[in-house]
Each structure stands twice: as C-alpha cells, then as structure tokens.
Amino acid sequence: MTDPAARADFIRAHLPVTPVPGIPSLRLHKAGPASGVGRLGDAAPYWAYWWAGGLVLARYLLAHPEQVAGRRVFDLGAGSGLVGIAAARAGATRVVASEIDPHAQVAIALNAALNDVHVAAIEGDCTGGDVPPVDLVLVGDVFYAPDVAARVTAFLDRCVAAGVTVLVGDPGRAPLPVARLTLLAQDAVAETGTARPAAVYAYHAP
Ligand SMILES: C[S@@+](CC[C@H](N)C(=O)[O-])C[C@H]1O[C@@H](n2cnc3c(N)ncnc32)[C@H](O)[C@@H]1O
C-alpha cells in the first residue's frame, strides 16, 4: 500500500481510536487484535503500538507545561505522533514531527486532527541533515536498536552543541546513551497490561 489516501482509509477503518494509557485526554489510532497491520508491508509498524518512552515523555510534558510552552518543538521518531501531540497540548508554538515510516507519517496527521492540534510539518529522516530551527527536540523511545541509537546520538550531539534542549523518554533500553543523560523524572507506564518503569532525561554533551 503506497497511496497516502489508502493508508489513511486503512488506519481509520482498522485501527480503533483508543485513549492513551494514563492520558485519557488524548486519543490515538492504535492496533487491536483484529487490525491486521501485517497487511501494510514489511516494516515493523512501531507507530501502531504504545511505547513506554513516549508515554512517559508525553505525561511529563503535560505535567510540566513550562518545559514546552512557547517553544518550537521537533518530535524525533514520532511514531503515532503522541509526544508531539502532547507538546502541542502543553503549549508548544510549533511542532514538527520526523518519521521514516510512511504509514506513521499518515497516522501522525490523522492523530493530530483527532486531538485538535496542529503539526506544522511531518518530515522523514533528518538525522543526517542540519540541526532543525527549534528550541526543543523530544525523543520518545527511539533508542531501541544499536544502529538507530548511534545515528540518533550523533544527531542529538549536534543539536545540543547548537544550543537546542533535548528531552528523552525511555524505559532503559540497552542502547540508551546513559553517559549523556541526567534523570528528570521517573514514572510507571503501561505499554500493554502491566505498568513498567520509565524515565525522562535531559540529554547533554558527552
Ligand atoms: C519505538 S518507536 C517510538 C515512537 C514514538 N516516539 C512513541 O514513543 O510512541 C520509534 C520510532 O522511531 C522511528 N525512527 C527510527 N529511526 C528514525 C530516524 N532516523 N528518523 C525518524 N524516525 C526514526 C521508527 O520508525 C519508529 O516509529
């Protein structure tokens, strides 16, 4: 499936609108047992599921709107768009999402509309490009594989060197660059049934 309109139709028809665990004021299209997301192609549809790092970061932003209000935000590895949507709800002036998965890009637009927020642009892989013109980069559960983590870490190092604030939400996955992180908050979030610990970190230079 390559047509964006067909992708949107599939998401609307097969991924039910679901309250975000622990954030009932937000709702997203998410996969259920009968969604059949395997029909969308070979890439793992990360955007169709909950991720502890995104959940903890979204909750943190809504509880601490001073971290994001009035700021220009870049949601790196946005998935379903949860973190950027929470940032917009918390008062960000402009939200740009970045996702390599074209189905996720469609889902982000649908989910933003569903929650009455505006995502100004939905971009692809920006990690090899210039530091985006933003105040804050948000990273929800993107350190899930060593190759992805290496690419993202190099990009975030350039962001902080340019003066951009970076916040990371993560449940402590193995490739997390812990030497660059300072703990800001801990929480327990439920990706599926049982809640697991996850944390929000400020990212700094090595
Ligand atoms: C585990 S998911 C987390 C999604 C979302 N942040 C959340 O917490 O719900 C990680 C996402 O990062 C995306 N991703 C990986 N490398 C990326 C890159 N270089 N640029 C943009 N997105 C990327 C993947 O496609 C995937 O959807």
Side-chain angles (χ1 to χ4, degrees), residues 120-164:
I122 301 171
E123 302 180 349
D125 184 0
C126 300
T127 54
D130 293 339
V131 173
V134 298
D135 307 300
L136 180 62
V137 174
L138 300 171
V139 189
D141 225 318
V142 184
F143 295 99
Y144 59 91
D147 57 333
V148 177
R151 192 170 177 80
V152 168
T153 300
F155 174 70
L156 296 180
D157 283 353
R158 290 195 289 115
C159 290
V160 293
V164 176

Side-chain angles (χ1 to χ4, degrees), residues 19-45:
V20 178
I23 315 177
S25 62
L26 297 181
R27 305 175 307 147
L28 301 175
H29 287 280
K30 285 289 172 179
S35 293
V37 286
R39 282 179 277 167
L40 291 171
D42 295 336

Side-chain angles (χ1 to χ4, degrees), residues 71-177:
R71 306 181 86 181
R72 299 164 299 165
V73 167
F74 188 83
D75 180 5
L76 172 61
S80 60
L82 169 62
V83 173
I85 289 168
R89 276 285 180 87
T93 51
R94 187 170 194 272
V95 175
V96 172
S98 160
E99 239 313 325
I100 51 175
D101 183 328
H103 292 99
Q105 294 175 355
V106 172
I108 292 164
L110 291 177
N111 285 327
L114 197 59
N115 290 282
D116 295 323
V117 302
H118 181 60
V119 174
I122 301 171
E123 302 180 349
D125 184 0
C126 300
T127 54
D130 293 339
V131 173
V134 298
D135 307 300
L136 180 62
V137 174
L138 300 171
V139 189
D141 225 318
V142 184
F143 295 99
Y144 59 91
D147 57 333
V148 177
R151 192 170 177 80
V152 168
T153 300
F155 174 70
L156 296 180
D157 283 353
R158 290 195 289 115
C159 290
V160 293
V164 176
T165 300
V166 177
L167 296 180
V168 172
D170 199 277
R173 300 194 192 283
L176 192 65

